[in-house]
Amino acid sequence: MDAIHAAPSWIATSENVPRMSREPPIILPVTLPLLGHANPWALLLAKEEGFPLSTAALLSERYALKSDEKPFVRELLSRKRNIWAFRCDQRRFAGDFVVVDMSEPRPAKRWVVVLDLKLGAPLVLGGGGAGVQLTNAQQAVDALAARQGLVSLGIPYTLATGDKAAVLAFLRSGRRSRRST
């Protein structure tokens, strides 16, 4: 683009916006204190993943909580202290959250659930009703395995879809319907 036809510097173009050198993580940890921030994902991406703050702010939209997702994860974490939750990158088709029951001391035996919330839907195990949204669930679980000691590589996991109440009831019950996918 020559100087006569160049876009003003305040307009984002391929010439003046740096390209990301790497893909953002597929999952980010969710904690109760983090949920108190307006944009916790930008904070995590900048602080823990090393993205520049401007890039982190742009990437954070991939993790934004919609409709009943924030109340769901807040209620889950406040009532089940043994559960750790991870938000999935919404552009990577890995579900909404991955949850891990940390009450089992052995990483290879922990209960892992990859879930996709569906407003008003009944609980469905095995991924039915999620369309393509759980296509890359294995990648999300593999990302958990990469976090030292959290779960073992190749751990079986359960796919679950349903509305907030149905999924919370399932997770509270501690039912270990461990269907490997």
Side-chain angles (χ1 to χ4, degrees), residues 161-172:
T161 62
D163 74 3
K164 172 188 164 198
V167 173
L168 281 171
F170 170 68
L171 294 172
R172 279 191 207 121

Side-chain angles (χ1 to χ4, degrees), residues 22-171:
R22 62 186 172 99
E23 188 74 20
I26 195 166
I27 57 168
L28 289 174
V30 182
T31 63
L32 284 173
L34 196 66
L35 292 173
H37 292 277
N39 190 350
W41 318 116
L43 294 173
L44 278 175
L45 289 164
K47 182 178 177 191
E48 295 186 16
E49 301 294 331
F51 284 99
L53 198 51
S54 59
T55 303
L58 291 172
L59 291 174
S60 67
E61 73 181 39
R62 294 176 173 213
Y63 304 93
L65 298 171
K66 296 175 180 70
S67 61
D68 61 344
E69 293 171 344
K70 190 169 189 176
F72 164 80
V73 75
R74 179 174 278 139
E75 186 173 342
L76 176 66
L77 294 175
S78 64
R79 292 187 181 210
K80 295 286 285 181
R81 299 295 177 154
N82 58 307
I83 295 285
W84 287 17
F86 298 84
R87 178 65 168 162
C88 298
D89 179 336
Q90 295 298 285
R91 292 189 185 171
R92 306 264 293 272
F93 303 104
D96 291 327
F97 298 96
V98 178
V99 296
V100 181
D101 184 344
M102 297 297 288
S103 60
E104 167 60 59
R106 297 168 295 180
K109 300 289 184 181
R110 290 185 175 141
W111 187 38
V112 177
V113 180
V114 181
L115 59 96
D116 193 57
L117 293 177
K118 298 292 182 194
L119 204 56
L123 178 70
V124 177
L125 298 179
V132 298
Q133 190 54 31
L134 292 169
T135 302
N136 295 322
Q138 182 68 59
Q139 289 179 13
V141 175
D142 290 347
L144 281 175
R147 291 179 181 265
Q148 185 176 351
L150 191 57
V151 298
S152 297
L153 190 61
I155 192 168
Y157 57 92
T158 301
L159 297 175
T161 62
D163 74 3
K164 172 188 164 198
V167 173
L168 281 171
F170 170 68
L171 294 172

Side-chain angles (χ1 to χ4, degrees), residues 10-34:
W10 51 270
I11 294 179
T13 66
S14 60
E15 288 83 24
N16 65 13
V17 174
R19 291 198 176 268
M20 286 189 303
S21 60
R22 62 186 172 99
E23 188 74 20
I26 195 166
I27 57 168
L28 289 174
V30 182
T31 63
L32 284 173
L34 196 66

